[in-house]
Amino acid sequence: ERNVAEIDRPPVCGVVTRIHIPRRGEEIRKEVLCDAAMEFCQIDPRWAGARQGHLWGLSVDASHRFAIVHVNHETGVEDCFWFPEGEFASEAVFAPKGPAAAEGEGYILTMIYRSKSHRSHLAVFDAQRIGEGPLARAHFGHHIPASFHGVWLSDPRDAIR
């Protein structure tokens, strides 16, 4: 017997995989969705439970450099921004431009820790143009511990619905 979540290649990070679980007796199968190895993947939360066209995540290479990655499942394009050595990114959080924005139209927010200065900042990216780098950075006068996780809520009442 083989675990359906097993992968065919050893990753530096996780391999983004969709597991198809049929309703009636057909074989369970897996589908690798992209070449980018990623962790802490995010989708546009307004599309949770539906087929998504966009995915964002955090990647780390063998030399421990961090990147934010965007995968467009419709076009197959993978776009990323590699942070300079000594900058460590936390989970990418998607924030839509507004309630009527198309899927994937918005911003990616990630906390960055700079080891040289022992300080952190929030980096804001255009979700569709990750490779162009941050649109803005909000700097803090101190560090913020790693492992920031979250989801964007435009209305706090969404948390209790």
Side-chain angles (χ1 to χ4, degrees):
E1 248 182 75
R2 185 170 174 209
N3 184 331
V4 295
E6 287 177 6
I7 56 171
D8 300 323
R9 58 192 162 135
V12 174
C13 284
V15 175
V16 181
T17 305
R18 177 179 291 137
I19 305 295
H20 297 269
I21 302 172
R23 293 183 186 184
R24 295 182 184 84
E26 295 102 22
E27 187 173 316
I28 294 174
R29 58 190 168 84
K30 70 177 181 174
E31 172 188 7
V32 175
L33 297 180
C34 63
D35 291 329
M38 291 192 283
E39 298 287 345
F40 304 113
C41 294
Q42 286 271 332
I43 60 166
D44 181 334
R46 299 169 303 158
W47 289 75
R51 189 171 189 92
Q52 300 95 28
H54 299 273
L55 177 72
W56 297 267
L58 182 63
S59 189
V60 181
D61 69 11
S63 67
H64 302 290
R65 282 192 57 215
F66 282 70
I68 297 294
V69 181
H70 169 230
V71 178
N72 182 325
H73 295 300
E74 313 258 326
T75 65
V77 172
E78 296 176 15
D79 187 24
C80 69
F81 176 80
W82 286 96
F83 290 95
E85 189 174 324
E87 290 193 7
F88 303 93
S90 289
E91 175 181 12
V93 175
F94 179 82
K97 280 190 178 175
E103 183 211 357
E105 189 176 292
Y107 305 97
I108 292 296
L109 314 174
T110 184
M111 293 298 300
I112 306 300
Y113 170 69
R114 284 189 171 162
S115 61
K116 292 178 185 171
S117 63
H118 191 54
R119 302 250 159 101
S120 297
H121 68 270
L122 176 70
V124 180
F125 292 82
D126 180 322
Q128 298 295 316
R129 293 177 177 80
I130 295 295
E132 294 177 10
L135 296 171
R137 298 174 192 253
H139 294 272
F140 300 93
H142 53 82
H143 81 285
I144 294 176
S147 75
F148 170 79
H149 300 290
V151 65
W152 181 267
L153 296 174
S154 57
D155 183 335
R157 294 173 292 185
D158 288 342
I160 57 174
R161 288 186 191 160

